[in-house]
Amino acid sequence: MRLGLVIDLDTCVGCHACAVACKQWNTSGTTGPLTDESPYGAAPTGVWFNRVRHYEVGDYPHTKTVNMPLSCMHCDDAACVTVCPTGASYKRREDGIVLVDQDKCMGCNLCAWACPYGARELDPQDGVMKKCTLCIDRIYDGALAPEDRQPACVITCPAHARHFGDFDDPDSAVSRLSRERGGRKLMPELGYEPTNTYLPPRSAPTVPTADVRRGSLMSNVKDWVNKAIAR
Amino acid sequence: MHPALSVIIFTVLSGAGYGLFSLVTLLHLSGRYPASGQTELVTQLGLALALITLGLFSSTLHLHNPKNAWRAVMRVRTSWLSREAVCALSFYPFALIYLWQVLQVGVEAGPLMVLVGGIALSLALLTVFTTGMIYASLKTIRQWHTALTPANYLLLGLALGATALVAVHAGFGGRSEGLVLLALGLLLLAGVMKGLYYLWIREVSGPSLNTATGFTQARVRLLDQGHTAGTFLTREFGFDPGAGRIRRVRLGVFGFGFVLPLLLMGMVLGGGSSLWLAPALMSALAGIGLERWLFFAEARHGVMLYHGLQRT
Ligand code: SF4
Ligand code: SF4
């Protein structure tokens, strides 16, 4: 299995609900807490596994706002695991999920340096590295209803912009989506082979106008006059 | 990248220590150390070990969970940091036996001394190389991802070690043109290599905000980072000294690190007092300290693309 996310940049509205749901689930889950510093102060800061950033693509007037949630891509060639000296960072053979064993981590930051996607954040309180687990404590929890065995971010997304599944299965929803919609990997030139895939915004279809209104005689004459007489 | 003082101190001091150790050992075992008394040899080796140990101790200060530091030797097969830890640790027994032999037997190099000294020397150089490779192996930081990085670490360590060696030699009243020439040559070579490095990193390459977001056919710019205050990422990677400061610090690197010590060594070679080698060492340490600060400060991590940089 190769579990991961498909994120639809066409429908993502940039509401940060996934980031908040992630924070809520994981701060009280097995990897928690996701420590905050001065949460009510002037400069609140803390650990997040998922962050949403906002970009403008193109030049005026042909611009588009793109909201981009970023979390661990659970890379096939995960340099964060390669560089880790303690063996705290590891990639699971059975499903490809990249995890940190907090009992082994020495807090050297090297894995965060090796990750191009900003997916790892050190918790200064605990002194260990923390990152997205793909909600491993949800997706395998048999006590949950099958539709709830998904990452918190996927379940919460009000725009259905997030999809979870197995990329090794060509018939899974994520495989089909990324195939049909031309899913893209980020920074492919670095060779990390990220699993998470981003669907580009669809180009807006042109609204057909030809059959919208059959012109009356009067309007046809008007149109003809407008065309014929140079203003 | 945020320049952490503990890492700067670690790489400069232990680099100098390993450089000093390997040069002294090489000269001693090959019989080229000019008229060395036992006390001088022991002082040189002791100083090298002190620098190394101080540096390694400083390196543990940047760990946020040092109680697990012993685990750093667990991933030698993949991690350069692990390899560095193993080299640094296995250096000690050989270095200490070597030092003990010099204390017991004296300066005459016996077979055991050659054996343990040779191994310690190789491990010393290997440690500096692995330190360089920790940085060079990171594809995320184009300013580090080059063979020039370990080359710089090795040459700068050897140059600092050689400068320390001649300064201590002078402190014992020794005067050796050959040694000063060696130090001068190494310092010059290290300076040229650093200059090459600065030229090399001017060439912009690697990912851009376009490849980072996947929008490669249009201009992309950041509208909002999504957070009002700083994060771990902006604190760790967001440091940017600005072009003006980089230029000024570079002047300091070349001035204190290379030009001034080279001039002072030239004066000594030209017949001046050997005592000038002490300020040469101080100046080289300061300059290469600046060099190390800059090595971190001007490195730009790929994740900063997501924070609005167009190119790293
Ligand atoms: S996104 Fe970063 S943390 Fe996640 S697997 Fe890839 S390199 Fe590692
Ligand atoms: S911070 Fe922890 S998980 Fe990351 S490389 Fe260091 S020891 Fe490994």
Side-chain angles (χ1 to χ4, degrees), chain A residues 44-45 51 53-56 58-59 68 82-83 85 103-107 109 113-115 127 184 187 189-190, chain B residues 64-65 68 71-72 75 78-79 139-140 207 211 213-215 219 221 223-224 229-231 235-236 301 303 306:
Chain A
T45 180
R51 292 184 182 272
R53 300 186 178 90
H54 310 273
Y55 302 93
E56 183 178 64
D59 291 303
M68 198 144 211
T82 319
V83 302
D103 291 336
K104 292 185 182 162
C105 173
M106 66 174 188
N109 276 354
W113 290 12
C115 172
R184 310 193 279 222
M187 286 197 238
E189 68 273 35
L190 289 186
Chain B
H64 295 271
N65 195 20
N68 276 345
R71 289 185 185 272
R75 283 293 180 275
T78 61
S79 165
K139 286 191 221 167
T140 42
T211 63
T213 54
F215 294 93
R219 209 169 55 99
R221 64 184 189 88
L223 286 180
D224 196 312
T231 68
R235 283 191 296 275
E236 190 71 5
H301 193 281
V303 80
Y306 291 113

Side-chain angles (χ1 to χ4, degrees), chain B residues 5-16:
Chain B
L5 189 62
S6 59
V7 180
I8 295 176
I9 292 177
F10 155 53
T11 54
V12 173
L13 289 193
S14 67

Side-chain angles (χ1 to χ4, degrees), chain A residues 72-75 78-80 98 114-117 119-120 131 192:
Chain A
C72 176
M73 312 273 163
H74 300 281
C75 305
C80 57
V98 174
C115 172
Y117 307 106
R120 292 175 165 250
K131 67 177 288 298
Y192 282 54

